[in-house]
Amino acid sequence: NQGLDHFREDCTNFGLQMHFMNKLFRLLVMAFVCTGNTYAGVTVLNPGDKAMHDKREKLINDAVCGSFLNRLIDVSKSPYFTDEYKYANIKLTNGRVLERVKMRIDLVIQQTYFISSNDIEINIDPGMAKEITYSDTTPKGIIFYKFQTGFPVVDRQNRNNFYLVLADGSCKFIKSIFKKAVGEKKIILSEVADEYEIYEDYYLFAKGGIKKLKRNREFILAEMSDKPVEVNEFILTNKIVFKNTEDLIKLFNYYNSL
């Protein structure tokens, strides 16, 4: 009862009364289905749990407040990478694998939600999902996505941040994507914001270190200095443009294949 009263007070304080009955229903269902605070090795988001509430509030505040070092590239109406749930394989940091589960990634607080066999939306805490892979059919064809966490701290990103892996191997070419809720009032639940600014930038991860990508020949060739002949020949043959992301994906895929 104390937890539910705390949740009701939060909803009132932040003008979220319209969400209260929905959240209360989900809480009661989770209490009935789950015997503890974990499900399939992940944390269940319990709105009545003060520690969980405080943790989520900190995540949101970190996402809302402060300036970003990465580039603002667009504005979205959703906090998720895709609004639609996608069937994906999720590798957890504890070694467990969730296969073919419906999930979506919240890029505001950098965490994942998936649908359980009981049709309950379950929250995976930030950083607990080590890798998420799935394919999606688009007008351009089938696109394979791989998201990973656990990279070193750089700019405003920490080890919990998701990166989209564009080229995998000894020298990973990765893309940081995160969203910032836009609004004058403090936001506790990211889904109540009207708009989200999208920030992204590109990095290289090799030999345990991470560097922000510089789109020039000198920087990139320095990262491939152990294979200069092969790399230079590939650049000339394929007319690689260093400002072009697709060209860089080809180049790093080739380098990682050597």
Side-chain angles (χ1 to χ4, degrees):
N1 292 334
Q2 182 179 1
L4 293 178
D5 289 341
H6 185 76
F7 180 54
R8 186 192 295 273
E9 180 181 352
D10 285 344
C11 289
T12 302
N13 290 341
F14 294 97
L16 300 176
Q17 291 141 319
M18 67 181 67
H19 296 279
F20 174 71
M21 292 307 297
N22 178 51
K23 297 293 182 181
L24 176 60
F25 174 75
R26 288 179 58 191
L27 171 61
L28 293 175
V29 172
M30 287 180 183
F32 178 77
V33 174
C34 303
T35 58
N37 288 332
T38 61
Y39 178 88
V42 299
T43 302
V44 176
L45 180 60
N46 183 347
D49 187 328
K50 185 179 186 303
M52 180 62 70
H53 172 274
D54 292 344
K55 181 178 181 181
R56 182 171 176 82
E57 181 174 6
K58 182 180 184 303
L59 289 170
I60 294 293
N61 287 340
D62 289 346
V64 172
C65 302
S67 59
F68 288 106
L69 298 177
N70 301 64
R71 298 177 301 123
L72 172 63
I73 57 116
D74 204 351
V75 175
S76 169
K77 294 292 185 182
S78 167
Y80 304 104
F81 181 66
T82 59
D83 277 340
E84 304 81 9
Y85 289 91
K86 303 294 183 181
Y87 284 98
N89 294 331
I90 304 176
K91 294 181 181 179
L92 304 179
T93 53
N94 62 9
R96 300 193 63 169
V97 178
L98 306 178
E99 296 184 345
R100 291 285 297 168
V101 294
K102 293 173 65 177
M103 70 84 219
R104 59 182 179 178
I105 302 172
D106 186 328
L107 292 177
V108 175
I109 53 180
Q110 298 291 312
Q111 70 180 16
T112 312
Y113 300 89
F114 74 95
I115 304 299
S116 73
S117 58
N118 302 96
D119 288 329
I120 303 298
E121 185 181 66
I122 305 296
N123 163 72
I124 301 178
D125 285 344
M128 193 167 184
K130 182 179 180 180
E131 181 178 282
I132 299 175
T133 56
Y134 71 95
S135 58
D136 193 16
T137 302
T138 72
K140 296 181 180 180
I142 298 177
I143 298 178
F144 179 78
Y145 293 95
K146 178 188 287 186
F147 285 91
Q148 291 181 340
T149 63
F151 293 98
V153 174
V154 62
D155 297 335
R156 269 191 64 107
Q157 294 92 258
N158 58 40
R159 299 186 69 87
N160 295 339
N161 280 82
F162 282 103
Y163 288 82
L164 180 61
V165 179
L166 302 177
D168 208 350
S170 60
C171 186
K172 291 179 185 281
F173 181 28
I174 56 179
K175 180 180 180 180
S176 167
I177 313 172
F178 51 86
K179 297 185 179 184
K180 178 181 177 182
V182 179
E184 296 181 357
K185 65 180 180 179
K186 187 179 179 182
I187 298 168
I188 289 299
L189 300 175
S190 61
E191 62 263 27
V192 305
D194 293 328
E195 289 186 337
Y196 302 85
E197 295 174 341
I198 305 173
Y199 293 81
E200 65 177 40
D201 222 322
Y202 297 84
Y203 297 84
L204 299 182
F205 176 74
K207 300 177 181 178
I210 189 169
K211 298 179 181 179
K212 181 175 285 188
L213 176 73
K214 296 180 181 178
R215 293 174 180 267
N216 61 65
R217 186 184 186 93
E218 292 73 24
F219 174 84
I220 293 174
L221 289 182
E223 297 300 313
M224 304 177 177
S225 58
D226 58 326
K227 302 289 183 181
V229 175
E230 297 92 332
V231 169
N232 273 295
E233 183 178 349
F234 184 87
I235 291 172
L236 293 173
T237 302
N238 294 273
K239 300 179 180 179
I240 296 298
V241 177
F242 294 99
K243 300 292 185 182
N244 186 294
T245 300
E246 294 300 320
D247 279 5
L248 290 181
I249 292 174
K250 294 177 184 177
L251 178 59
F252 281 104
N253 277 330
Y254 171 73
Y255 172 75
N256 287 325
S257 72
L258 296 175

